Amino acid sequence: MMVSSGFLPTGSLIESLIHISNGVSSMENDLPFVQLRNISTMIRRIKLLSSLFEEIQETNGPLPPSSILCLTELFSVIRRVKFLIQGCKDGSCLWGLLQTDFVSNQFHVLVKEMGRALDILPLSLLNITADIREQVELLHRQAKRVELFTDLREIQRREELLQLMARNNDKNSKKKGFSNFSEVKEILSSIGLRNPMDYEEEIGKLEAEAQQQAGTGGLIVVSNINNLISLVSFCKSILFSDEVSEKKKDMNKQLSTSSNRIYNHHSSSQSMILNIPDEFRCPISLDLMKDPVIVASGHTYDRNSIAQWINSGHQTCPKSGQRLIHMALIPNYALKSLLQQWCQENNIPLLDSTPSSISESERSSNSNSKRKQCENAVDHISATKVSADAVKMTAEFLVGKLATGSPDIQRQAAYELRLLAKTGMDNRRIIAEAGAIPFLVTLLCSHDPRIQENAVTALLNLSIFNNNKILIMAAGAIDSIIDVLESGKTMEARENAAAAIFSLSMIDDCKVAIGARPRAIPALVVLLKEGTPAGKRDAATALFNLAVYNANKASVVVAGAVPLLIELLMDDKAGITDDALAVLSLLLGCSEGLEEIRKSGVLVPILIDLLRFGSPKGKENSITLLLGLCKDGGYREEVAGRLLMNPRSIPSLHSLAADGSLKARRKADALLRLLDRCCFQSQSQVG
């Protein structure tokens, strides 16, 4: 039905816009030191829009329906702006500085979306003053022309920070540690760290970020955040040592002698009592750490203490209680360097920190140097050459471990590459250039379930980069991926193999090559039956991609996909109704598919229900199937009769013809005309 008045109520929307705009405007007090210009400029834009919203509210008149979409889009953009600014204010300054390119791009994207929303704002139909109209038009023009802004001062500060970290972590440097603490203080002061309280707050924010990134951002990201925590903690203890000395004395009186005493092994009769900074103590033993390592939760422990904890059967982080997703112990080279510097300054013999779990071949100075540089890589934080070189070093190091390491080392290296390839097209390109793909393909045949799972998932992540699809196919991976799909050691490996086939089949040549393998499509159909809901979705989407190529349609039908897909339409737990409909719609295009679909006695009633309750895409594919079945001469009368007899079908078709998507409206009209002809022919025969 048409809305007779031509207007829609908008009071609640305008009130929401004014409320959220005022919320953003109020954030201009106490702005963060990072992204200052982007935030200030964005708040000015929101204030200008707030004036528009307030004037619309004051007119208290109805708005043209065409403006509702624009205002709704603006509300969504402003809400995201609020979250982004709040994140900058509440988050770590140092982490924000390292991510300055990424965050600046987020602001740029939101301004562009604001401009696109204003494209459809009918200013001429709004009852607003000329001043407001001019301001909005100016904002619109500026938003359309705006370019990405990254503060050069922040870029400079970030590079200075990275250089300081690299200098501090360089074990081969003649000047270990910071050569000029005034320089360090100036850098940290420029981003708001000016007193001990600021440092404590920054450490807390970094710890929260490490907790959030653990298990999702990858070990290298967590390692870098922990390196920042070590850096800030050490700087605080050095720069403000006079201010906290009295406090430390009071604390030392309460500490037990055993946890506060480091014995000089060269003289067993003598011992010295030292004030050990808390950040240098192992949370388990409370003693000075000899070999600090990072676990999956992001917390740092002494290697011996955490190894004993894990070896005794624990699978959680002692400090947070969080379950560890893996048991790898990643060296914290930044903290280790700070520990060595502290020991030298306090005349403590340098600690022997060679991990007992590392083989002799890995203890060489060259390997240790490489491992140090790998862990200090600032992955997907910065687009600078420093970051790219670090990722390259990491990838080359891990590929070397894939080639020559023991099964345990290969398992961990494949896992690290899996995480490194999870985000960032540059990472995926660099990993492929380092030669990882052939070794990962070889590991697909491993008898170790974890190695196989990590290898196939790493290839899946790498395949997202289009050029890598060609490299993976050229490496002869497809037969091994099909082997994993058929009989992988774990269900996750099988499902990720299906996802890899889906990703590879985005390229037309790959559709042909994969479809030509006689085992590929049947294996996907088996997973469609046996997999978890996520696995069934992966199998369905892979079948859809392959069925786009006409020669593969018959193979999908022969493999028995049609009955399973129809069964999945009725399975609410599977949750892949739209994917199943999309595949069935494609299979309708071959004679074998049409014949198999016609055999189902339950499909038409299901499709009629989906016309009412399905998603927009599901409704569109349901009409496609019904129309395709009706166009088949031998089956038309039966399908048309079912549609005409069902009291819900015709109203649903009329509704879609009026309000559906462009394709849905066109197909609904065609189906209604076809049903009209069937009715006319039926009446003529009766007459």
Side-chain angles (χ1 to χ4, degrees):
M1 291 180 61
M2 296 293 292
V3 179
S4 58
S5 65
F7 297 102
L8 297 173
T10 58
S12 59
L13 175 58
I14 296 298
E15 290 172 3
S16 299
L17 283 165
I18 292 173
H19 177 74
I20 197 168
S21 299
N22 290 338
V24 173
S25 300
S26 66
M27 300 172 98
E28 65 181 344
N29 300 320
D30 190 27
L31 292 180
F33 289 86
V34 180
Q35 295 294 333
L36 179 61
R37 180 169 167 183
N38 275 327
I39 293 174
S40 301
T41 306
M42 185 64 82
I43 289 176
R44 284 201 301 272
R45 294 188 179 104
I46 302 300
K47 280 185 174 181
L48 195 152
L49 288 174
S50 181
S51 300
L52 169 66
F53 304 146
E54 288 172 357
E55 184 153 322
I56 291 174
Q57 186 184 50
E58 289 174 3
T59 60
N60 199 26
L63 290 177
S66 56
S67 67
I68 304 301
L69 178 60
C70 170
L71 295 176
T72 304
E73 288 296 315
L74 285 176
F75 179 81
S76 174
V77 171
I78 296 171
R79 182 173 58 179
R80 288 155 60 196
V81 166
K82 184 177 180 181
F83 289 152
L84 181 57
I85 295 176
Q86 195 65 52
C88 292
K89 293 182 68 173
D90 295 344
S92 159
C93 295
L94 286 173
W95 183 247
L97 187 65
L98 291 178
Q99 287 187 305
T100 185
D101 292 321
F102 174 72
V103 179
S104 296
N105 186 64
Q106 286 185 301
F107 277 104
H108 181 247
V109 168
L110 288 172
V111 176
K112 285 294 186 183
E113 290 190 13
M114 185 183 296
R116 285 193 289 271
L118 291 173
D119 283 342
I120 56 175
L121 180 64
L123 282 173
S124 59
L125 301 179
L126 297 177
N127 185 21
I128 57 177
T129 63
D131 288 343
I132 294 295
R133 181 178 287 106
E134 289 177 4
Q135 290 178 0
V136 174
E137 289 173 345
L138 176 61
L139 172 62
H140 185 200
R141 290 194 297 270
Q142 291 175 344
K144 298 293 286 185
R145 296 196 308 264
V146 71
E147 296 182 356
L148 174 65
F149 173 77
T150 305
D151 195 325
L152 294 179
R153 291 172 300 179
E154 292 182 12
I155 296 294
Q156 181 183 352
R157 287 303 187 196
R158 181 187 63 192
E159 297 308 314
E160 291 172 350
L161 178 63
L162 291 173
Q163 290 172 12
L164 284 172
M165 292 175 67
R167 189 188 314 160
N168 186 58
N169 294 332
D170 189 358
K171 293 172 64 177
N172 298 321
S173 174
K174 294 181 180 179
K175 295 182 178 180
K176 294 184 179 180
F178 302 126
S179 58
N180 188 348
F181 271 102
S182 62
E183 180 185 4
V184 180
K185 187 173 183 178
E186 180 186 353
I187 293 173
L188 297 180
S189 177
S190 69
I191 58 172
L193 304 185
R194 295 170 179 171
N195 56 59
M197 189 64 68
D198 293 336
Y199 279 71
E200 286 293 340
E201 186 176 349
E202 178 67 11
I203 291 169
K205 290 177 179 179
L206 285 169
E207 288 176 343
E209 187 66 41
Q211 186 75 16
Q212 182 179 344
Q213 292 284 345
T216 58
L219 294 179
I220 294 174
V221 176
V222 175
S223 174
N224 284 306
I225 297 174
N226 279 276
N227 290 343
L228 287 174
I229 293 173
S230 301
L231 174 71
V232 177
S233 299
F234 182 68
C235 291
K236 172 179 171 288
S237 65
I238 297 298
L239 296 174
F240 302 100
S241 57
D242 293 338
E243 298 180 30
V244 299
S245 59
E246 292 301 322
K247 183 178 179 181
K248 283 188 175 181
K249 288 179 181 178
D250 294 337
M251 292 176 61
N252 289 330
K253 292 178 181 178
Q254 302 173 15
L255 292 173
S256 63
T257 304
S258 60
S259 65
N260 230 6
R261 187 171 289 171
I262 298 178
Y263 292 93
N264 186 336
H265 296 287
H266 296 287
S267 177
S268 59
S269 62
Q270 296 180 351
S271 64
M272 53 191 299
I273 301 177
L274 294 173
N275 297 327
I276 307 173
D278 289 341
E279 56 269 19
F280 293 166
R281 294 180 182 276
C282 173
I284 296 175
S285 67
L286 299 181
D287 289 333
L288 183 71
M289 285 187 276
K290 298 179 180 180
D291 184 16
V293 293
I294 305 168
V295 298
S297 65
H299 292 289
T300 296
Y301 301 92
D302 183 73
R303 180 182 291 273
N304 287 337
S305 298
I306 191 63
Q308 290 176 13
W309 170 268
I310 292 174
N311 291 338
S312 64
H314 295 94
Q315 296 182 343
T316 57
C317 170
K319 194 170 182 179
S320 68
Q322 177 184 347
R323 184 175 179 82
L324 300 176
I325 61 172
H326 60 79
M327 300 301 160
L329 304 179
I330 308 302
N332 190 335
Y333 289 104
L335 182 57
K336 186 175 181 180
S337 178
L338 296 174
L339 274 166
Q340 290 175 340
Q341 181 178 350
W342 184 83
C343 287
Q344 286 180 338
E345 292 173 352
N346 290 275
N347 297 319
I348 304 293
L350 290 178
L351 303 167
D352 180 13
S353 57
T354 303
S356 59
S357 60
I358 298 179
S359 64
E360 288 297 327
S361 62
E362 292 177 318
R363 291 175 185 169
S364 65
S365 60
N366 182 51
S367 179
N368 283 336
S369 176
K370 266 195 172 185
R371 195 159 54 249
K372 167 184 67 83
Q373 294 176 59
C374 292
E375 295 303 332
N376 290 330
V378 185
D379 177 35
H380 63 262
I381 294 174
S382 165
T384 63
K385 186 177 184 300
V386 174
S387 178
D389 288 345
V391 173
K392 181 180 178 183
M393 183 73 73
T394 303
E396 290 174 348
F397 171 73
L398 293 173
V399 170
K401 294 305 175 188
L402 287 183
T404 61
S406 65
D408 286 343
I409 292 174
Q410 287 180 326
R411 184 190 309 114
Q412 184 60 31
Y415 178 78
E416 294 286 352
L417 285 170
R418 167 183 177 174
L419 291 181
L420 194 60
K422 190 174 182 179
T423 55
M425 288 299 182
D426 283 340
N427 288 4
R428 296 172 185 128
R429 173 183 57 79
I430 291 170
I431 292 170
E433 289 174 354
I437 289 174
F439 293 107
L440 290 170
V441 171
T442 302
L443 293 180
L444 292 176
C445 302
S446 172
H447 296 294
D448 186 309
R450 296 276 82 79
I451 291 178
Q452 184 186 72
E453 183 178 301
N454 290 334
V456 74
T457 309
L459 287 169
L460 164 62
N461 293 339
L462 289 172
S463 70
I464 298 172
F465 183 58
N466 278 339
N467 192 54
N468 286 350
K469 291 179 171 63
I470 300 169
L471 297 177
I472 291 170
M473 295 295 290
I478 190 60
D479 288 321
S480 296
I481 292 175
I482 293 171
D483 287 339
V484 177
L485 175 64
E486 277 187 321
S487 54
K489 305 294 182 185
T490 66
M491 181 57 72
E492 184 176 349
R494 293 178 60 192
E495 292 174 350
N496 286 343
I501 289 177
F502 162 72
S503 178
L504 293 170
S505 61
M506 299 293 288
I507 296 179
D508 290 340
D509 289 345
C510 294
K511 290 182 177 70
V512 178
I514 295 171
R517 263 69 172 187
R519 297 181 298 131
I521 289 174
L524 288 170
V525 173
V526 171
L527 185 62
L528 194 66
K529 181 179 181 180
E530 299 176 353
T532 66
K536 291 178 179 178
R537 182 176 295 106
D538 289 334
T541 52
L543 287 170
F544 176 86
N545 262 8
L546 294 173
V548 170
Y549 180 60
N550 285 329
N552 291 334
K553 288 183 170 68
S555 299
V556 175
V557 175
V558 171
V562 172
L564 285 174
L565 291 167
I566 294 174
E567 183 179 335
L568 287 171
L569 294 179
M570 300 179 287
D571 187 356
D572 292 333
K573 293 182 179 179
I576 62 167
T577 300
D578 286 355
D579 299 307
L581 283 170
V583 179
L584 288 170
S585 298
L586 279 179
L587 298 181
L588 200 64
C590 71
S591 57
E592 295 88 346
L594 177 61
E595 184 64 29
E596 193 68 22
I597 291 171
R598 284 178 53 181
K599 292 179 182 179
S600 172
V602 298
L603 180 60
V604 173
I606 294 173
L607 295 177
I608 293 173
D609 285 337
L610 289 172
L611 289 179
R612 299 178 63 205
F613 305 114
S615 68
K617 196 66 180 177
K619 293 177 180 179
E620 185 177 312
N621 283 323
S622 296
I623 297 176
T624 300
L625 283 163
L626 288 169
L627 189 60
L629 290 171
C630 284
K631 285 183 177 179
D632 176 56
Y635 197 51
R636 179 184 305 158
E637 292 183 3
E638 181 179 347
V639 176
R642 291 189 182 184
L643 285 168
L644 292 169
M645 290 176 62
N646 192 308
R648 299 187 297 270
S649 58
I650 302 302
S652 297
L653 288 172
H654 278 296
S655 176
L656 287 171
D659 302 321
S661 65
L662 181 62
K663 288 184 179 180
R665 292 200 301 269
R666 178 166 50 81
K667 292 179 180 180
D669 284 334
L671 188 53
L672 285 169
R673 288 195 301 271
L674 191 149
L675 292 176
D676 284 340
R677 288 198 299 271
C678 288
C679 284
F680 178 78
Q681 292 172 2
S682 176
Q683 291 173 358
S684 299
Q685 292 173 1
V686 172

